[in-house]
Amino acid sequence: MLAVAISLVYPNSFKWVLSEYNGINILNLLLGIILFTMGTTLKVDDFVNVFKNPKEIAVGISAQYIIMPLIAFALASSFSLDTALTVGLILVGTVPGGTASDVITFLAKGDVALSVSLTAVSTVISPILTPLITLLLIGNQIHFNPVDMFISIVQIVIVPIILGLILNYKFPDFCDKLKIYLPTISSIVICLIVAGVIGANKQAILTSSTIIFIVISLQYLIAMLLGFGIGYFAGMDRKQRITVAIELAFQNSGLSTSLAKTHFPNLSQATVPGALYSVLQNFAGSILAYVFRKYQS
């Protein structure tokens, strides 16, 4: 919230976030840092859990890449959003789950092991599914190259995660000591990304903030409710239902922002839904985690 306030009052303060330095895209670099920190917390067991809980993983991943994109598409159509905001909203729906979901699941007393596995699996398969689903939903309206998007996601997401995994494998004790600092590092970086995007789109946000806020709020709430419903009908226990709901609602909004800027450069407002969604999901998620924890049965 502080980052948002500063970026609205001093919009040029974070202009550097969306710039390049010696040919390096700063936004993608910041996002890579977040995914690298995620990689240092992952272990082989997180992927082995896929085979231990095949039904829960299958339900969670299916919801992630079917329900969330459809929610985004339905809302964009219902509210007749312009092209840029439609692209941004669709990307929020088609990217993998966000790393913050693991922290919120822990605070909400959900199934943390399941959350970590869902985030890891959805992230690893995102280079294929995110471009493909985005193409299916908006490919007939807006031209973009899904192969280029696949390459971008591999560079921004997969490579940093693999480097983090290698570091954790080679130096587990060192990575264990790092864990206490990683959430703070990730939070600071995502705040910089949000501030950069909001500062660059200050006027557009102020003139159409109501409709954008309503849409992303509905996207978040519908995802949370459907997550609970899907978990219930799949026969999951309360902890698992909480986990699926959080995992579905929490998106890697930083990645959606990066993809919007990289692959839709002529649609500057396409970065706005991802930035605002990041603010909303972390703010609302913290409150919901408290509610889940306080009123657990």
Side-chain angles (χ1 to χ4, degrees), residues 84-97:
L85 294 179
T86 295
V87 169
L89 196 68
I90 293 296
L91 286 173
V92 170
T94 59
V95 293

Side-chain angles (χ1 to χ4, degrees), residues 65-239:
Y65 283 112
I66 295 175
I67 302 299
M68 275 306 285
L70 291 178
I71 292 173
F73 184 76
L75 288 172
S77 301
S78 299
F79 284 84
S80 300
L81 297 182
D82 62 32
T83 302
L85 294 179
T86 295
V87 169
L89 196 68
I90 293 296
L91 286 173
V92 170
T94 59
V95 293
T99 55
S101 63
D102 305 336
V103 178
I104 299 298
T105 298
F106 169 74
L107 294 175
K109 289 192 173 181
D111 189 331
V112 178
L114 176 61
S115 177
V116 172
S117 295
L118 285 171
T119 302
V121 173
S122 69
T123 301
V124 168
I125 63 178
S126 64
I128 295 173
L129 292 185
T130 296
L132 178 60
I133 297 171
T134 303
L135 180 66
L136 290 173
L137 293 178
I138 60 173
N140 62 333
Q141 306 170 37
I142 305 138
H143 176 73
F144 76 99
N145 191 326
V147 176
D148 287 345
M149 187 178 286
F150 166 82
I151 295 170
S152 290
I153 298 175
V154 169
Q155 292 173 337
I156 298 169
V157 177
I158 303 302
V159 172
I161 285 180
I162 289 175
L163 292 175
L165 277 166
I166 292 172
L167 185 67
N168 193 15
Y169 178 75
K170 292 287 187 181
F171 307 100
D173 293 337
F174 174 70
C175 288
D176 239 18
K177 293 176 182 177
L178 277 182
K179 281 183 180 178
I180 192 171
Y181 305 105
L182 296 182
T184 302
I185 293 172
S186 295
S187 297
I188 291 172
V189 173
I190 198 65
C191 284
L192 291 175
I193 293 173
V194 167
V197 171
I198 290 179
N201 295 277
K202 175 183 175 180
Q203 293 306 317
I205 291 171
L206 293 178
T207 55
S208 58
S209 57
T210 302
I211 189 67
I212 299 173
F213 184 76
I214 289 173
V215 171
I216 63 170
S217 296
L218 285 172
Q219 187 178 25
Y220 181 84
L221 291 173
I222 292 171
M224 187 68 72
L225 291 172
L226 288 180
F228 268 108
I230 291 166
Y232 176 80
F233 286 110
M236 296 182 185
D237 61 33
R238 186 177 185 276
K239 280 191 171 186

Side-chain angles (χ1 to χ4, degrees), residues 211-288:
I211 189 67
I212 299 173
F213 184 76
I214 289 173
V215 171
I216 63 170
S217 296
L218 285 172
Q219 187 178 25
Y220 181 84
L221 291 173
I222 292 171
M224 187 68 72
L225 291 172
L226 288 180
F228 268 108
I230 291 166
Y232 176 80
F233 286 110
M236 296 182 185
D237 61 33
R238 186 177 185 276
K239 280 191 171 186
Q240 292 172 332
R241 293 199 297 270
I242 288 175
T243 303
V244 171
I246 292 173
E247 194 68 29
L248 192 59
F250 271 76
Q251 296 294 88
N252 192 333
S253 49
L255 177 59
S256 72
T257 300
S258 174
L259 294 176
K261 181 179 182 297
T262 302
H263 299 282
F264 303 92
N266 297 324
L267 303 174
S268 60
Q269 287 191 59
T271 58
V272 172
L276 293 181
Y277 195 89
S278 182
V279 177
L280 173 71
Q281 70 178 2
N282 288 289
F283 184 71
S286 300
I287 297 172
L288 287 172

Side-chain angles (χ1 to χ4, degrees), residues 32-64:
I33 292 172
I34 295 175
L35 274 302
F36 174 76
T37 63
M38 175 188 173
T40 61
T41 65
L42 293 177
K43 297 179 180 178
V44 175
D45 287 348
D46 299 322
F47 296 94
V48 172
N49 282 334
V50 173
F51 304 101
K52 293 180 179 177
N53 304 285
K55 184 184 78 172
E56 290 79 6
I57 296 294
V59 169
I61 296 300
S62 297
Q64 177 71 54

